[in-house]
Amino acid sequence: MAGAQNLEKAPYYITTPIYYVNDSPHIGHVYTTLACDVLARFMRLDGRDVKFLTGTDEHGQKVERSAQARGTDPQAFTDKMSRNFRDLSGPWKFTNDDFIRTTEERHVHACQDLWRKLKDAGDIYLGSYAGWYAVRDEAFYGEDELTDGEDGRKYAPSGAEVDWVEEPSYFFRLSAWQDRLLRFYQDNPDFIGPDARRNEVISFVKSGLRDLSVSRTTFAWGIQVPDDPAHIMYVWLDALTNYITAVGYPDTEAPDYRKFWPADLHMVGKDILRFHAVYWPAFLMAADLEPPKRVYAHGWWTNEGQKISKSLGNVIDAYQLINDYGLDQARYFLLREVPFGNDGDFSHRAMVSRINNDLANDFGNLAQRVLSMIHKNCDGKIPEPGELMPSDESLLAATQAVLPKMRSELSVQAFHRSLEAVWAVVGQANRYVDEMAPWVLRKTDRARMETVLYVLADVIRQLAIVTQPFMPDAPAALLDQLGQPHDARDFASLPTRLEPGRAIAKPSGVFPRYVEEERQDAS
């Protein structure tokens, strides 16, 4: 069914930022990749040909120093550290189609080709750099962006120490792109989301752009500048290029490049928006390549009201989270609890509330009691419906309206509102059960009972289908219990009603309650 739709629907290319190998995977990395995974799953179920990319950023002075501190070479260090991020996909059930590493030969080739195009266009020139550089951020900062620490050192807005650096450097003529970038933002109002971040970027560009140092000579771990091996490329020029490397660049006639570029969405954290929304479109346009269609910057998480940091010992471990609460539960919470784009606070109490109220009480209990009544009162088969009443039609219409709402909300990365649309129908279905009281109809009007249970079973089927992108396991278990074949679980299957007489499995709960006494603290 989905295959027929592929001819009608545009391909969809979504990317995470590539994660810096010096970090260990934590809730921030999971959050970004999870959001992309939900969109990738949604678009596949909606009949679109999807490419979902993630990977690791493996060059730079910080990596070189870390490898030296461990007594190993940078390549061996990055081989080991990159695996930590690749391994996240298993337990979290991420469905990325590719995992790119910036140390791969295909990427070196792409970066050097892009460099040549920028230089041939006159947008790269050789000069010398003198200014402040933060190794931790792999970023240059102006004097006006720095603060003085009590220790007499200067610090970047991120809190990273900066050092004064003087060295020969190639520069990208970013200053020449100020007006063209502003015009690009004006012509493409959806390029940056959410709106507050868009306004920040426009304000930054309007304040004046300085040419950008795009090479280094004081360390060696990076991609060599073509025709000048004394220089290596600035790590951000290298890193950003991964998005086109993965679709076959520099072969702009490659099937994946023609199909997927420009990317539909680069998902990033708000701390790296400037690189993606200012530098990246300027690099691409200078090379006569199309910029991506959209860059979305999400917020950060705190833990029980505190900033997350290693020094405070409150980093939320990516694996412990699903061990403590469950995979579907953790995925649901992260995208439902906080309006996407805002900062959010993780708390145990909020997580338990979502698990027990939204999942167990609302959706889980709806499915369990309806399927149990069918199994007990309808010989374990989907009943034959009679004539539908206005109340039945109203619930079915509300259910059928969910997918268009989800499409609309997810097109602007409003994950929380997409889930709210689903749960509005869950609530309506629970009220319908109470109003129709099929346990009473069993004694007074069996035919009506069967119609009510049929309507509810089909609503549960549709809700299970549309929640699959968010939760890989429980909706699949519900569709199993309803006897739905695997080729009838995409969005094209939604209008096809349940087949009366189909046997259903003996129902079992798919959203267990969280019992506080069973919690095992990480300590």
Side-chain angles (χ1 to χ4, degrees):
M1 277 176 259
Q5 285 194 326
N6 278 336
L7 299 174
E8 305 165 17
K9 297 197 173 184
Y12 187 79
Y13 182 25
I14 185 168
T15 70
T16 73
I18 50 173
Y19 301 121
Y20 206 54
V21 288
N22 255 36
D23 294 326
S24 294
H26 55 68
I27 191 174
H29 304 110
V30 164
Y31 190 48
T32 316
T33 311
L34 171 60
C36 292
D37 183 62
V38 167
L39 287 169
R41 286 173 176 268
F42 185 93
M43 297 304 173
R44 290 188 197 108
L45 288 169
D46 210 13
R48 297 178 70 171
D49 191 358
V50 171
K51 186 174 180 69
F52 167 21
L53 176 70
T54 188
T56 44
D57 179 8
E58 303 183 11
H59 290 132
Q61 191 172 6
K62 189 162 55 172
V63 170
E64 185 177 75
R65 287 182 180 179
S66 294
Q68 289 168 350
R70 288 166 172 78
T72 187
D73 67 273
Q75 187 63 60
F77 173 75
T78 57
D79 288 346
K80 179 181 178 182
M81 298 299 286
S82 178
R83 173 60 59 182
N84 294 335
F85 290 91
R86 190 187 292 269
D87 287 349
L88 269 185
S89 292
W92 280 88
K93 296 194 175 179
F94 297 144
T95 58
N96 49 292
D97 302 287
D98 194 358
F99 187 99
I100 191 166
R101 300 179 57 190
T102 55
T103 49
E104 293 178 50
E105 189 58 39
R106 60 172 171 163
H107 183 64
V108 174
H109 183 47
C111 288
Q112 291 181 333
D113 187 90
L114 181 63
W115 180 282
R116 290 187 183 98
K117 282 189 170 59
L118 295 176
K119 192 173 183 189
D120 290 348
D123 280 288
I124 284 182
Y125 64 91
L126 182 61
S128 62
Y129 178 78
W132 296 102
Y133 187 76
V135 173
R136 193 183 85 186
D137 298 346
E138 299 286 6
F140 301 99
Y141 292 100
E143 185 82 39
D144 57 338
E145 296 180 276
L146 306 179
T147 55
D148 295 317
E150 294 180 1
D151 57 0
R153 295 188 60 88
K154 289 185 180 293
Y155 290 86
S158 64
E161 279 188 23
V162 294
D163 295 303
W164 184 260
V165 174
E166 295 188 29
E167 60 182 316
S169 177
Y170 284 94
F171 285 82
F172 174 74
R173 296 185 194 277
L174 187 63
S175 59
W177 285 89
Q178 180 171 333
D179 291 342
R180 283 176 281 188
L181 283 168
L182 291 171
R183 189 160 58 247
F184 174 72
Y185 303 146
Q186 183 176 345
D187 293 344
N188 298 275
D190 296 327
F191 175 65
I192 303 168
D195 287 345
R197 303 290 172 220
R198 179 176 185 273
N199 294 337
E200 286 174 13
V201 168
I202 290 173
S203 177
F204 171 75
V205 174
K206 281 183 175 178
S207 71
L209 295 178
R210 293 187 289 266
D211 288 355
L212 182 68
S213 172
V214 288
S215 76
R216 303 293 305 277
T217 59
T218 51
F219 63 98
W221 184 240
I223 295 176
Q224 284 189 354
V225 167
D227 307 317
D228 195 344
H231 290 254
I232 60 164
M233 292 186 199
Y234 173 44
V235 70
W236 271 104
L237 176 55
D238 162 1
L240 290 162
T241 305
N242 92 89
Y243 303 126
I244 52 175
T245 299
V247 289
Y249 184 84
D251 182 4
T252 55
E253 295 301 313
D256 272 8
Y257 192 95
R258 290 173 62 89
K259 180 189 291 186
F260 291 114
W261 192 259
D264 292 86
L265 180 64
H266 291 330
M267 185 74 79
V268 301
K270 64 181 182 179
D271 54 322
I272 56 172
L273 178 60
R274 183 185 301 180
F275 303 104
H276 286 81
V278 180
Y279 302 167
W280 183 224
F283 293 157
L284 288 166
M285 290 189 285
D288 199 25
L289 301 171
E290 285 186 86
K293 297 174 187 174
R294 183 166 170 84
V295 176
Y296 193 95
H298 64 70
W300 292 339
W301 284 88
T302 52
N303 187 355
E304 304 284 356
Q306 284 190 308
K307 182 180 178 181
I308 293 175
S309 73
K310 290 179 183 176
S311 60
L312 291 173
N314 67 345
V315 173
I316 299 173
D317 181 82
Y319 298 101
Q320 194 66 41
L321 193 62
I322 51 179
N323 289 339
D324 285 350
Y325 301 107
L327 173 64
D328 282 0
Q329 290 82 350
R331 287 175 60 117
Y332 174 82
F333 173 85
L334 289 174
L335 293 179
R336 176 70 194 273
E337 182 67 11
V338 177
F340 198 73
N342 294 0
D343 290 342
D345 183 51
F346 177 90
S347 77
H348 172 68
R349 177 183 292 181
M351 174 70 88
V352 171
S353 175
R354 291 292 182 190
I355 292 172
N356 289 346
N357 294 328
D358 297 13
L359 298 179
N361 290 359
D362 294 348
F363 195 4
N365 190 44
L366 170 69
Q368 177 73 0
R369 61 177 176 162
V370 168
L371 298 184
S372 294
M373 282 188 278
I374 292 173
H375 199 266
K376 181 179 178 181
N377 300 308
C378 304
D379 297 322
K381 297 174 183 175
I382 300 295
E384 183 78 46
E387 183 181 352
L388 297 181
M389 301 294 172
S391 56
D392 311 331
E393 298 280 14
S394 174
L395 178 57
L396 288 167
T399 308
Q400 289 154 10
V402 166
L403 179 61
K405 289 179 184 174
M406 293 180 79
R407 281 196 191 109
S408 175
E409 299 296 2
L410 291 178
S411 71
V412 291
Q413 294 73 58
F415 296 92
H416 60 296
R417 291 204 301 265
S418 177
L419 286 168
E420 284 167 6
V422 175
W423 256 256
V425 174
V426 170
Q428 185 175 341
N430 276 310
R431 290 189 295 274
Y432 172 88
V433 175
D434 294 338
E435 290 164 7
M436 296 299 110
W439 52 90
V440 174
L441 292 171
R442 180 170 62 87
K443 301 172 184 176
T444 61
D445 190 342
R446 188 171 182 85
R448 177 63 186 151
M449 175 201 75
E450 291 183 348
T451 300
V452 167
L453 291 178
Y454 177 87
V455 168
L456 285 164
D458 199 58
V459 167
I460 291 165
R461 176 190 68 91
Q462 293 187 59
L463 294 177
I465 287 173
V466 298
T467 51
Q468 289 176 106
F470 290 89
M471 298 177 286
D473 295 339
L478 282 178
L479 292 167
D480 288 345
Q481 290 179 32
L482 284 164
Q484 296 303 288
H486 287 278
D487 63 356
R489 300 185 180 195
D490 59 8
F491 296 161
S493 308
L494 287 168
T496 305
R497 291 277 168 82
L498 272 173
E499 179 187 345
R502 181 182 288 274
I504 68 167
K506 184 177 181 180
S508 57
V510 297
F511 290 119
R513 287 183 59 78
Y514 185 95
V515 180
E516 195 66 39
E517 288 72 23
E518 294 178 359
R519 186 183 185 204
Q520 293 182 341
D521 289 323
S523 57

